[in-house]
Amino acid sequence: SPRMVTLVEWPEITTCLENKRFELVLKNVKSSSRAPSVNDEELQEKSFPKNSPLNLLYIGGCGLERLSARIENCANLTNLVLKDNKLTSLPEEIGLLTQLKLIDVSSNELTSLPQSMKNLENLQSLDIAKNKITTEGLFDFEGLVMLHILEASHNELTQFPQSLTCETLVKLHTVNFSHNHITNVPFELSNVTKLKDFKMEKNELTDLPLCLGVMDKIRFLDLKGNPFKDTRFRKLANDNRAKVPSVLDYLRKKYDDMEDEGESNERKKKSEGVEESSDYIRVVTHHPNMRVKVLDSVSSIRGFLLTCVIRNVDFSGQNFRKFINLQTRLHSNECGQRTRATIGTHDMNALKLPLRYLALPIDELFITALRKKTPVSARELLSNLLLDSELARKREKRSQVNPVHRYLHLVKDLPLLACLIDSEGLVISLPPLTNSDLTKMTESTTSVLIEVSSADSIQTCYEIMDLFIKETRLFSPAIEIDQMRVVKENDDLLGEYPSRGSMEGVNLHFESYEEKKEEEC
């Protein structure tokens, strides 16, 4: 017969089971001092019976090395504390415990977390400090719409998790990534508008975290021990006497200077009447593949589109961040939170021309959305976005509508959605919702496909594209443009960019693809 496990030496578990208690607390019990061990599978199976009433499980300082998958029986858990143990992994079944509000697995030996934790939509506090967790070992935070606090200090993270910059994280106010190896704070962190307490002590930041300069809720900030290239800021960040407002003012001024630098240079050129023959943008036209065919199905949904390719893009230093920041700013302002127009940007080396622009039923349209690993249907993507934004809206003041909610209403009731597809059938864009993660840019990208779509007018597309290209040129002046033509199914021209009238005040030097080939030969 199978070995029978008795609970004689575990009175805490016996009392909990017999009295159907809601809390089980095991604190500082050495696993070697009792038989069976706390790591015994049968012991854990008995501790987590079906329909367990537990809402708090605390196992701390007990030498716990594994947690049984039977934890899934504890569907009522709201607090899970497993700190100060020897855990090297957690079961995927944790993702089924959707009532969890607090998880504390600090001071263990974890290198990764279950991907299923992305489903914990009620989670408010997550403490994973003092482990060995890597960037790859994290899960997608986007769905954690109730998350208030993330403690992740003393780990092995090398990158700031992109999914922690989502607009859906409307409750997140405390983030601690101190004592890691993170090299960059993405500007998109400014999407997390409620952030108050931000700790990045002793990482490997060299560039200024300019996003903090536009975040008006920051009250507690720790950036000590980072090798910032800006020596004045490095001293300021390490000065215990420096007040948080002083640090933020410095970043705010640097951010404003960055925004104004290009514009002031352009004004100076104009005031001096500088019109050097070399100060122009080379535009290559009539490349046979530089075209987008617009199908009739999209005309009544989001019928206006312009595209082009910019080459010789310089994303070195701060330039990549400036480019992303520019796109974010235009979306917020001139694009009216994407209700008026949407900008999509893609690494040209990750797609194949020519393109098609059409509308497809939401159950037949699949995309690997930004920050996702696998493709999902447009219905599932839209449903998740709507759920997240609605939860956020209900918990916010009416005057503080989540930005995502402002453009979702444009498409939420449509049976078809607009999409941009490359010549091999890859869906690269689903405006205004998302681009494909498979075509996202990096700091090594040198050629970028830009798309501007609108339901208003083609003139709106020209206006936004002009702004985007002109301001990109301020920090990457050597760009060249491949003109792209947008045509109907019968090849009638709908638009082309750039045209002869594009970018007023900028010299455009047009040459055909054939002329360029001859020159290169």
Side-chain angles (χ1 to χ4, degrees), residues 417-435:
L417 290 182
C419 60
L420 197 59
I421 301 178
D422 79 353
S423 64
E424 295 186 348
L426 175 67
V427 177
I428 67 171
S429 178
L430 206 61
L433 301 179
T434 187
N435 292 338

Side-chain angles (χ1 to χ4, degrees), residues 491-504:
D491 289 333
D492 285 351
L493 185 66
L494 290 171
E496 60 184 6
Y497 195 89
S499 64
R500 298 284 173 178
S502 297
M503 287 181 282
E504 184 179 355

Side-chain angles (χ1 to χ4, degrees), residues 348-363:
M348 260 300 294
N349 292 329
L351 56 91
K352 300 292 183 183
L353 297 176
L355 306 175
R356 289 182 298 144
Y357 185 54
L358 65 156
L360 289 174
I362 58 177
D363 290 318

Side-chain angles (χ1 to χ4, degrees), residues 154-383:
H154 297 86
N155 276 288
E156 300 295 329
L157 304 172
T158 56
Q159 295 178 355
F160 196 96
Q162 194 68 28
S163 65
L164 204 64
T165 66
C166 295
E167 297 166 332
T168 54
L169 302 178
V170 296
K171 295 289 186 180
L172 186 61
H173 60 72
T174 299
V175 173
N176 186 355
F177 281 125
S178 295
H179 296 269
N180 278 281
H181 311 287
I182 296 172
T183 58
N184 182 47
V185 178
F187 192 86
E188 296 94 318
L189 182 62
S190 57
N191 292 331
V192 185
T193 56
K194 294 293 189 297
L195 191 63
K196 294 181 181 179
D197 187 337
F198 187 55
K199 296 184 177 69
M200 290 290 296
E201 179 187 6
K202 293 191 177 179
N203 275 274
E204 297 176 17
L205 302 178
T206 56
D207 295 334
L208 296 179
L210 294 178
C211 60
L212 302 178
V214 298
M215 300 176 74
D216 56 8
K217 295 287 193 300
I218 300 288
R219 296 293 179 268
F220 305 96
L221 180 65
D222 191 346
L223 299 171
K224 293 192 293 293
N226 282 283
F228 293 111
K229 289 184 288 188
D230 185 321
T231 54
R232 183 179 173 189
F233 183 76
R234 187 167 66 245
K235 291 179 181 178
L236 184 63
N238 286 302
D239 187 349
N240 290 326
R241 299 168 298 174
K243 304 295 185 183
V244 171
S246 301
V247 178
L248 295 178
D249 284 344
Y250 187 93
L251 293 172
R252 192 172 295 116
K253 185 178 184 303
K254 286 292 184 179
Y255 170 77
D256 290 340
D257 290 347
M258 180 191 75
E259 292 291 294
D260 295 340
E261 180 183 356
E263 295 178 11
S264 63
N265 287 340
E266 189 172 85
R267 285 195 297 270
K268 183 179 178 182
K269 281 188 176 182
K270 287 183 178 180
S271 67
E272 295 174 352
V274 176
E275 290 289 344
E276 299 179 9
S277 60
S278 60
D279 185 25
Y280 64 83
I281 301 179
R282 185 186 197 186
V283 179
V284 178
T285 65
H286 298 101
H287 188 293
N289 286 332
M290 289 288 167
R291 59 186 172 85
V292 185
K293 182 158 288 190
V294 178
L295 277 60
D296 293 339
S297 59
V298 78
S299 59
S300 63
I301 295 175
R302 195 178 186 85
F304 303 102
L305 178 76
L306 284 178
T307 60
C308 72
V309 175
I310 56 174
R311 300 192 185 276
N312 299 331
V313 183
D314 177 14
F315 280 159
S316 63
Q318 297 276 346
N319 287 352
F320 185 68
R321 188 178 303 178
K322 290 179 183 179
F323 188 80
I324 299 299
N325 175 30
L326 170 61
Q327 185 175 352
T328 301
R329 177 164 55 81
L330 290 179
H331 270 154
S332 297
N333 300 322
E334 285 80 0
C335 295
Q337 295 289 4
R338 306 193 207 186
T339 59
R340 185 167 176 253
T342 302
I343 305 166
T345 51
H346 311 268
D347 189 325
M348 260 300 294
N349 292 329
L351 56 91
K352 300 292 183 183
L353 297 176
L355 306 175
R356 289 182 298 144
Y357 185 54
L358 65 156
L360 289 174
I362 58 177
D363 290 318
E364 299 176 16
L365 181 53
F366 289 81
I367 186 170
T368 303
L370 280 174
R371 299 183 292 274
K372 302 297 182 183
K373 303 291 186 183
T374 56
V376 296
S377 71
R379 180 185 295 279
E380 182 179 349
L381 174 67
L382 186 56
S383 176

